[in-house]
Amino acid sequence: MVVDEPVTELALASVLQVTVDQVVDSLEALVPTYEDRGFTLKAINGGWRFYSHPDCSAVVEKFVLDGQQNRLTQAALETLAVIAYRQPVSRARVSAIRGVNVEAVMKTLITRGLVEEYGVENETGAILYKTTSYFLERLGLNALTDLPPLAPHLPDLDGLDEILDSLTD
């Protein structure tokens, strides 16, 4: 409750002077005991952290924000999704996928700590971007592999095979 980032099992074991296995067993045993409370214990981004229970999110949000709106715009959410699923990715590639210039949106995402520079693309020299550990933490994910699959959100393409077959005939 007193840390700003998820705490690793190793750090907890060191502080408590027990084995990592004992910490893991204890944490996993604690998780279900918090189901009916105002908070939960989650393994996030390589560590453990307390979070407010999802059922309490509206009250917590109101308390924290106190009427202020600090949400991302639709453009920022779309850009963040492209980066999350295609990373590492260049700004030009994100713009091409979205079909609009993403300069201002990228600055917002970097400023908010959700995206960071990752390196340089060998062929073009373009700067590559990826999501940060803060992104995982804010979304309540342990790893990028926990992102939901995109397929259910894509347009229905049942007839695509028939169309492609007719074009090749």
Side-chain angles (χ1 to χ4, degrees), residues 62-127:
K62 184 177 179 187
F63 179 78
V64 171
L65 297 179
D66 195 28
Q68 299 175 9
Q69 290 301 318
N70 223 5
R71 298 173 187 252
L72 292 175
T73 64
Q74 185 68 29
L77 289 171
E78 290 172 7
T79 301
L80 188 56
V82 170
I83 295 166
Y85 283 95
R86 301 291 298 235
Q87 63 187 309
V89 63
S90 69
R91 194 177 297 212
R93 182 72 178 135
V94 175
S95 290
I97 292 169
R98 290 211 46 240
V100 296
N101 185 326
V102 297
E103 286 292 318
V105 173
M106 288 292 288
K107 286 179 185 175
T108 298
L109 295 174
I110 292 168
T111 300
R112 292 194 180 191
L114 298 168
V115 172
E116 65 187 359
E117 291 184 7
Y118 180 67
V120 178
E121 192 172 53
N122 291 335
E123 297 85 34
T124 65
I127 296 171

